[in-house]
Amino acid sequence: MSELKTQLLVIGAGPGGYAAAFYAADLGMQVTLVDTELNPGGVCLYRGCIPSKALLHAAKIVSESRDAKNFGITFNEPRIDVDKLRAWKNDVVSKMTGNLGLLAKSRKVAFIQGKATFIDSKTAKVQKVDGSSQNVRFDHAILATGSRPIPLPNISDSPLILNSTTGLELQTIPSSLLVVGGGYIGLELGTVYAELGSAVSVVEMTQGLLPGADRDLVTVLEKRLKTIFKSIMLGTKVAKVEPTAKNVKVTFENPDGKTSQETYDKILVAIGRKPNSSDLGLENTKAKVTPKGFVQIDLQRRTTDPAIFAIGDIAGEPMLAHKASHEGRVAVDAIAGKKTVFEPKAIPAVVFTDPEIAWCGLTETQAKQENRTVAVAKFPWGASGRAMTLNRTDGLTKLILDPDTQRVLGMAIVGPGAGELISEGVLAVEMGSVVEDVKLAIHPHPTTSETIMEAAEGFFGHATHIYRPKKS
Ligand code: NAD
C-alpha cells in the first residue's frame, strides 16, 4: 500500500475542515484534505445550510407574493415546478462545491475522496471511493467529521419518513406532512414545505418551539407560523409511527396523557443531530470521546492526543458551521505555533424562518438560568419606518446589558433579515461596547438596523420613535 506524508491531515471537508485546510495552506503548510464527497462542502453545502437556504428563498417569494395583496397587488396562485426548483437548488450546491474543489487545487491542498480512519496517532488509512486504499502519515491531524441526524427510535425504514437530508432532496411535495421536532431544522424545512403547498403539522415534545431561545422572540415567530402551518402541537410526544405503502399513521401522546392518531403522507424527523465520532479508529489514538459522543478538546481544540485536533460538530455544541470554521482557524494557528485560544464572547445563531430569529452572546434565558441580573433594552419593529414599508412590523430588537457597566452582553432579534443584522451585535459584544457606543453610532435611515440604535436610545429613555421615558 502506498504511503503519503503530509504536514497536516484534515479529515472531513465541511465548513470546519475546508476552512482549516485552506488557512493552513495559506500559512504555507503542506495539507491533505479527505472527504467522502467529490468536492469539499460537507453537510452544510451538500445537505444542510445551503440547499435549505435556496429552498427558503423560494418559499419566501411565495409568501411575499401572497402578502402583496395587503397593499393592492394580487398574483395568481403560484405554479410550482418541483423538478425545476430541485434542479436549481442542486445547481447552487454543485457550483459552490465545484468552486471549493478549484480553490483547494489553487492552494495545492491535496484532496482525496475517501474515508479516513486512524491506525495510530501519526497515521490514517484512507479507503478511497475507487476501492484502493492509502496510508497517510501526518505531523498533525484535524478531525472535522461533523454530525448526522438522530433517527426516531424503533421505527422501520420507509421512503415516507424523511430526515433533513432526504427532506432537502425535495422528491415530491406531500399533501400532508408531519414535522417531528420544533427546532431549527423542523421549522426551516416545515416552512419550505408549507409554502410549497403541503399541509404541515409540527409536533414538539417540550412546551415551546425552539427550546433555549428567548420566548419573546419565539412568540413573534409562532404567531406567523400559525398562519402557514396546519397545526403546532406542543408538549406532545410521538408514541408510535406506523408507515404503510401509502402513508404514515402516527400516534401522539397529548399533554393531558391521552393518545390520538393521525395519518400523514410523509413525516420529517428533525429531533437533533449527533456527532460522527465512531468508526474513526480513535481507539488507536490517545483521543478520548465524551459520553455524548463529542471528542474531548482543550481551548486550542487539541484532543487528548497531542497530534490530533477536533473542530466543529464533533467537538461540541453549538453545532453551527461558522463556529466550526472559526475553530478550524484556531486549531491551525495552534499547530503553526501561534498564541491562540477559542474564546468567543458571541457565537451568533440564526433560525432562517420567516421572520428570522437571531441572537448572539448572552440571552435572557441564559441570564435567568445563571441567576444573572441584566438590563434589557427593547425596540419593537412596529415603530420602525423601514419595517412598515416592508409591511413587516412583526419584529423585535433587544440588547442584553450589564446593568452596572452598561456593556453590551448580547443581542437578539426577531424579524425579516434578523440573520443579517445580528453581526452588529457580535461586533458590539466582541469589542466590549457599552450601550452608549451603539446609541452614538449613526445608522442608515430607513433600515431595520436602526432598531438596534433605537433599542440603545430606549435604554436612556429617549428613543425617537417610541415614547417611553426612563423611570427615575
Ligand atoms: P434542534 O435541537 O434544534 O431541535 C430538535 C427539536 O426536537 C427540539 O425542540 C426537541 O425538543 C425536539 N424533539 C426531540 N425529540 C423529539 C420527539 N421524540 N418528538 C418531538 N420533538 C422532539 O435539532 P435540529 O432541528 O435537528 O437541528 C440540529 C442542529 O443543527 C441544531 O442544533 C443546529 O445547531 C443545527 N442547525 C442549525 C441551523 C441554522 O443555523 N440555521 C439550521 C439547521 C440545523
Side-chain angles (χ1 to χ4, degrees), residues 181 183-185 188 204-206 211 270-273 319-320 350 352:
Y184 283 71
I185 296 178
E188 289 184 3
E204 163 58 46
M205 71 176 183
T206 68
I271 58 168
R273 301 180 62 86
M319 293 191 181
L320 297 171
V350 182
F352 291 88

Side-chain angles (χ1 to χ4, degrees), residues 48-49 52-53 56 147-153 164 179-189 202-212 233 235-239 269-274 313 317-322 348-353 357:
C49 330
S52 65
K53 261 74 270 171
L56 277 161
S147 62
R148 63 184 182 283
I150 298 175
L152 270 177
S164 54
V179 174
V180 185
Y184 283 71
I185 296 178
L187 297 187
E188 289 184 3
L189 277 180
V202 175
V203 56
E204 163 58 46
M205 71 176 183
T206 68
Q207 296 305 321
L209 297 174
L210 294 168
M233 297 168 267
T236 304
K237 282 192 195 121
V238 171
V269 180
I271 58 168
R273 301 180 62 86
K274 61 177 168 192
D313 290 6
E317 302 272 4
M319 293 191 181
L320 297 171
H322 42 274
V350 182
V351 190
F352 291 88
T353 40
I357 289 187

Side-chain angles (χ1 to χ4, degrees), residues 83-163:
D83 294 336
K84 204 160 176 182
L85 178 56
R86 188 192 312 112
W88 170 70
K89 179 241 341 165
N90 290 345
D91 192 46
V92 170
V93 170
S94 57
K95 269 191 194 130
M96 287 192 65
T97 50
N99 282 341
L100 287 175
L102 294 176
L103 281 171
K105 257 195 203 120
S106 327
R107 288 180 154 97
K108 302 200 169 33
V109 169
F111 183 77
I112 307 178
Q113 192 184 4
K115 183 176 171 4
T117 41
F118 289 103
I119 297 173
D120 57 43
S121 292
K122 287 283 173 190
T123 324
K125 178 180 171 180
V126 181
Q127 191 67 48
K128 296 193 200 171
V129 277
D130 63 10
S132 66
S133 60
Q134 175 159 48
N135 280 0
V136 181
R137 268 193 82 71
F138 56 83
D139 295 337
H140 289 99
I142 296 179
L143 200 50
T145 47
S147 62
R148 63 184 182 283
I150 298 175
L152 270 177
N154 310 321
I155 290 176
S156 49
D157 266 355
S158 157
L160 303 182
I161 300 178
L162 308 174
N163 59 20

Side-chain angles (χ1 to χ4, degrees), residues 160-447:
L160 303 182
I161 300 178
L162 308 174
N163 59 20
S164 54
T165 305
T166 47
L168 281 169
E169 283 167 10
L170 202 72
Q171 293 141 348
T172 58
I173 299 171
S175 55
S176 61
L177 176 76
L178 173 71
V179 174
V180 185
Y184 283 71
I185 296 178
L187 297 187
E188 289 184 3
L189 277 180
T191 298
V192 167
Y193 277 98
E195 295 295 3
L196 296 183
S198 299
V200 173
S201 303
V202 175
V203 56
E204 163 58 46
M205 71 176 183
T206 68
Q207 296 305 321
L209 297 174
L210 294 168
D214 284 353
R215 291 302 95 188
D216 52 353
L217 307 177
V218 176
T219 303
V220 176
L221 170 65
E222 196 172 344
K223 196 167 164 206
R224 190 168 167 100
L225 287 181
K226 278 183 177 159
T227 68
I228 64 162
F229 290 165
K230 188 175 166 227
S231 68
I232 298 175
M233 297 168 267
L234 300 175
T236 304
K237 282 192 195 121
V238 171
K240 212 192 235 177
V241 175
E242 297 163 276
T244 67
K246 278 201 185 128
N247 51 33
V248 190
K249 193 161 91 182
V250 181
T251 307
F252 299 104
E253 201 181 305
N254 303 321
D256 54 11
K258 291 191 186 126
T259 57
S260 62
Q261 284 187 338
E262 198 74 53
T263 300
Y264 301 90
D265 280 1
K266 288 191 178 176
I267 74 168
L268 173 88
V269 180
I271 58 168
R273 301 180 62 86
K274 61 177 168 192
N276 290 327
S277 55
S278 48
D279 306 331
L280 291 171
L282 284 174
E283 62 285 359
N284 303 325
T285 71
K286 295 190 201 86
K288 287 195 191 109
V289 176
T290 68
K292 283 192 170 166
F294 293 113
V295 176
Q296 209 177 304
I297 44 160
D298 67 10
L299 282 176
Q300 292 191 319
R301 313 290 95 167
R302 197 186 295 265
T303 69
T304 38
D305 191 314
I308 302 171
F309 289 69
I311 60 168
D313 290 6
I314 196 178
E317 302 272 4
M319 293 191 181
L320 297 171
H322 42 274
K323 173 232 165 204
S325 310
H326 189 80
E327 285 178 304
R329 297 175 83 87
V330 169
V332 169
D333 275 339
I335 291 166
K338 296 190 189 184
K339 227 175 152 185
T340 180
V341 284
F342 182 77
E343 52 177 3
K345 291 212 162 8
I347 301 176
V350 182
V351 190
F352 291 88
T353 40
D354 182 23
E356 293 175 353
I357 289 187
W359 66 88
C360 71
L362 187 68
T363 65
E364 270 193 280
T365 308
Q366 195 189 338
K368 220 170 270 166
Q369 281 162 359
E370 295 172 7
N371 256 335
R372 280 177 79 168
T373 309
V374 289
V376 181
K378 292 189 185 185
F379 188 82
W381 284 31
S384 153
R386 184 60 181 138
M388 276 200 203
T389 64
L390 296 170
N391 197 37
R392 290 300 301 270
T393 50
D394 52 335
L396 173 74
T397 297
K398 60 177 182 175
L399 296 168
I400 317 297
L401 308 164
D402 183 311
D404 300 323
T405 62
Q406 300 187 353
R407 246 176 107 146
V408 182
L409 303 175
M411 185 164 108
I413 307 178
V414 57
E420 304 291 339
L421 297 173
I422 200 64
S423 302
E424 180 174 343
V426 177
L427 204 60
V429 175
E430 290 288 356
M431 300 292 286
S433 309
V434 289
V435 64
E436 189 158 19
D437 294 325
V438 181
K439 184 188 93 164
L440 291 176
I442 300 175
H443 286 62
H445 180 70
T447 62

Side-chain angles (χ1 to χ4, degrees), residues 9-20:
L9 170 67
V10 181
I11 303 175
Y18 78 73

